[in-house]
Amino acid sequence: FQVASIFLKEEKQYHHFLFMTPPVSRSFLQSVKQRVMDVYKEQQPLETLENVQVTILKETEHDNKPRAPQKDEQHVATFFAFPLKIRNAIIGILGVGSARENAFHPETVQILQVFASEASIVLDNALLFKQSDQSNLELEETITKLKTTQAQLVQSEKMASLGQLVAGVAHEINTPAGAINAA
């Protein structure tokens, strides 16, 4: 492949990672990017793709002799897209594109399908881990607030008890003094 792509949805933001093996023209890269996003839109027609962060990664070991893409390397001849599903919801698309016709053997396509399903499991685990971390933080904040509230309640009870004690002492002092005064 010349370009591999992973398009992911995370909460209200989209991430698009593109990995390319040079030489790749800008139009080729843009074509793969657009195709992956189109496949996602087909799978999720009610979503509008806003806030898409694009990250482009390059293979560096072949960068020793940079060359411009040939004319036949300018358009996408072979393209495959595999949905990334977790719990019956699509959270992304794995896509690969090549400038060569029939660039992928059927075995390679099957391997990519297996990889997409395994990657979905890994992404699901990562999202669940992130959610559990967030829940733990929220629980810690709640516990801290509850401890603060408990300390305030204890202090309020102490002050109320002290007020009752002072009122009782004043009553006990006033009662004999009132009797003496009346006599």
Side-chain angles (χ1 to χ4, degrees):
F1 64 88
Q2 274 79 33
V3 176
S5 169
I6 295 181
F7 183 82
L8 295 173
K9 176 186 178 184
E10 184 181 9
E11 294 175 11
K12 296 179 181 177
Q13 193 170 14
Y14 299 93
H15 300 281
H16 200 162
F17 300 95
L18 295 154
F19 177 79
M20 60 183 189
T21 57
V24 175
S25 70
R26 187 178 301 272
S27 64
F28 185 94
L29 187 66
Q30 187 64 28
S31 176
V32 170
K33 177 183 164 189
Q34 190 59 48
R35 283 186 181 195
V36 168
M37 291 174 67
D38 289 344
V39 170
Y40 185 81
K41 287 178 190 176
E42 287 172 11
Q43 300 288 328
Q44 303 289 353
L46 300 178
E47 289 187 31
T48 56
L49 300 181
E50 296 173 351
N51 298 328
V52 178
Q53 290 185 341
V54 178
T55 303
I56 298 176
L57 308 166
K58 289 184 183 179
E59 184 176 19
T60 55
E61 64 183 57
H62 296 296
D63 283 348
N64 297 341
K65 297 177 185 176
R67 67 175 180 86
Q70 301 297 318
K71 195 168 202 165
D72 60 342
E73 295 174 333
Q74 297 284 335
H75 73 282
V76 180
T78 306
F79 177 78
F80 285 99
F82 307 95
L84 301 173
K85 295 180 182 180
I86 57 173
R87 290 175 260 131
N88 296 326
I90 294 178
I91 62 153
I93 301 291
L94 169 68
V96 289
S98 177
R100 293 182 316 161
E101 291 285 337
N102 302 319
F104 304 106
H105 297 289
E107 297 87 24
T108 305
V109 174
Q110 289 176 341
I111 289 171
L112 287 170
Q113 287 174 330
V114 169
F115 177 77
S117 67
E118 295 299 319
S120 297
I121 293 169
V122 170
L123 289 169
D124 188 29
N125 288 341
L127 289 172
L128 289 172
F129 182 75
K130 185 178 178 180
Q131 288 173 354
S132 71
D133 268 358
Q134 184 65 31
S135 296
N136 286 343
L137 286 174
E138 290 172 2
L139 284 173
E140 286 176 8
E141 289 175 9
T142 303
I143 288 171
T144 303
K145 288 179 183 176
L146 285 172
K147 285 182 179 180
T148 303
T149 304
Q150 182 184 20
Q152 290 173 348
L153 284 172
V154 167
Q155 187 67 25
S156 295
E157 282 297 315
K158 285 180 184 178
M159 294 305 286
S161 296
L162 183 61
Q164 287 178 346
L165 178 66
V166 169
V169 168
H171 176 72
E172 293 300 323
I173 291 173
N174 282 337
T175 302
I180 292 170
N181 198 17

